Amino acid sequence: MRAPRIAILGFAIECNRFAPISTREDFLARAILPGDLLIAEARKSAPAMTPEIPAFVRRMDTLRPWTPAPILFANAESGGPVDHGFFVEILERFRQDLTAALPLDGVYICEHGAAITTEEDDPDGAVFALVREIVGPDVPIVATIDLHSNVSERMVAAVDALISYRRNPHTDMADRGADAAAALAELLDGVKTAVAHVRLPICPPPTVLLTAPGAGPYADLIAAAEATAAADPRLLNISIVGGFAYGDTPKNGLTVLATTRGDAALARRTAAGLAAYAWRERARFIPRLTPFDEAVALAKATGEQRGRPPVLLADVADNPGGGGRGNTVFLLRALLDAGARNVLLGVLTDPELAAEAHSLGEGVAFAARFNRAEQATYSEPFEAQATILRLSDGKGVGRRGQLAGCAFDLGPSVALAIDGIVLIVITHRHQCHEPAFFELFGLNIGAARTVVLKSRGHFRAAFDEFFTPEQIVEVDAPGLTSPLLSRFDFKKLPRPVVPLDRIDDWTPNVRLLQGGAR
């Protein structure tokens, strides 16, 4: 019996409508892996890619003989809308290489799910639809997506199973890749799915989508979904997709997906029940941040009073993981003005500053000029006297949390000392959710009194060895990823929507796909 040929591909980026355009260079800085290079990278011990594909490959290897047909995986740090011309190139590459790979027995798509381009509001749906068009109606397709995906009807209609992350921070990416392999194996054996999905008029800010027990309404919703799935073997998967508000698309909205092993009534009933539960909790999807001046005062007091526990200030409004530029200086400037001491701040993206530091060398004091070449909103210039403590090529392997075991490349990087603050400046934009970003420079995170991170929440899975949830402060600062959605000029977001609007009545519209029908 011939081993099934399984194609692997993906276009993974989370796009913020209000951020500068994402280009080919942004993808080259992270990963563009064609053909055999994709599968070779996936089989490395520390792959330079998101964990889903390596986990999918490992699980398939244990389930049955199979033949990988790697197509292309393109991945970039979250940013603005993708240059449409580049996306068209990727789409055409998918078309050519998938066609050349025929006949195929199955397809795995590793997508983020919240992409937009300069001309297209649903490029993820375009990828899914293209794959279905090429392989035909009978070839099973399974896709994984981020829980910050914006799910369209076109995405759901094109695949047999759509599996989203269930953990935020995303410590389960590998688990979901393995789930995709298990689901595809069932489909190859003849299982037909029934998929019900419903989108709610709720666009939760990212800070209210944490999933640790007791963390909030989304955590409770995920727990309810997992309990439901565990209680009924007819359920193949339940995904509660929180969405990404900054995408500003017509498909925005918290989405419930219930996938069964052929039971349409159960799929519909499950999706409707969980949607009703989410709707009852809608008032809880409102963020609560610490005022800017209060956070700065806390950092100053923490540095002066040794009896106080250390604090972590999360600069959630400038999170590169949500499209922020990772370069705003509001907190840096305020902490310097306040005279805060024993502060670690990371990571600040400034390629020009990092390059200048590398040209000068360690131990040199100089006038550090921030954002000299950046024109994005909130990327204000700033200058301060700094000393170059240590230089690095920015390459390493993640130690904990989302990046554990994964190779990363921050580009030429530097640790600078400015009065009582040590900050890390990098070349390749990246959110700071990995202790190794500081440890590359020999810095002791545990000895700092205040740590400032440009990250929305993924740091919680890695910095928990240093800070309890009670020591973490989410700061209300300016930025492209502020959780206060009223600060954005949305154009395409469905309205009315919680938390921007009050909605008293809503009736769910549950859509159903049965038996693989498309």
Side-chain angles (χ1 to χ4, degrees), residues 16-18 148 150 201-209 242-249 252-254 282 285-289 316-317 322 378 456 476-477 479-491 493-501:
N16 183 321
R17 180 79 69 180
F18 309 98
H148 294 106
N150 295 320
I202 302 175
C203 287
T207 52
V208 300
L209 291 176
F244 187 63
Y246 314 111
D248 187 24
T249 73
N252 272 93
L254 190 151
R282 63 190 180 277
F285 287 100
I286 297 174
R288 291 173 175 81
L289 305 179
V316 295
Y378 303 116
R456 184 269 311 153
D476 182 8
L480 292 171
T481 60
S482 171
L484 301 179
L485 301 185
S486 60
R487 294 178 178 172
F488 296 86
D489 184 19
F490 292 107
K491 300 295 187 183
L493 201 72
R495 302 294 289 269
V497 66
V498 174
L500 290 171
D501 308 299

Side-chain angles (χ1 to χ4, degrees), residues 287-454:
R288 291 173 175 81
L289 305 179
T290 298
F292 185 87
D293 291 344
E294 184 179 321
V296 173
L298 177 62
K300 178 176 172 59
T302 300
E304 294 174 343
Q305 302 172 24
R306 284 291 171 176
R308 302 173 68 109
V311 296
L312 186 156
L313 304 187
D315 191 358
V316 295
D318 189 34
N319 169 34
R325 302 306 292 166
N327 63 0
T328 64
V329 295
F330 301 109
L331 272 172
L332 170 61
R333 184 167 53 206
L335 290 167
L336 287 170
D337 289 345
R341 315 300 297 178
N342 202 352
V343 177
L344 292 183
L345 193 156
V347 288
L348 194 147
T349 304
D350 196 323
E352 292 75 23
L353 181 54
E356 181 181 8
H358 275 256
S359 71
L360 293 173
E362 295 180 353
V364 174
F366 73 117
R369 294 188 296 124
F370 296 85
N371 295 329
R372 67 190 80 173
E374 179 67 63
Q375 301 297 319
T377 305
Y378 303 116
S379 301
E380 296 182 359
F382 177 64
E383 183 172 321
Q385 286 298 122
T387 300
I388 301 169
L389 295 181
R390 190 163 177 177
L391 301 170
S392 170
D393 63 4
K395 295 180 180 179
V397 176
R399 185 168 68 78
R400 303 189 78 246
Q402 187 178 2
L403 276 184
C406 295
F408 61 81
D409 182 0
L410 305 176
S413 304
V414 57
L416 298 177
I418 305 179
D419 290 340
I421 298 175
V422 174
L423 71 150
I424 309 302
V425 179
I426 65 174
T427 296
H428 300 153
R429 193 167 52 90
H430 210 302
Q431 70 168 303
C432 191
H433 58 352
E434 168 54 56
F437 292 2
F438 291 100
E439 293 162 351
L440 282 173
F441 302 90
L443 297 171
N444 183 357
I445 297 169
R449 300 294 297 147
T450 299
V451 175
V452 183
L453 302 181
K454 288 186 175 291

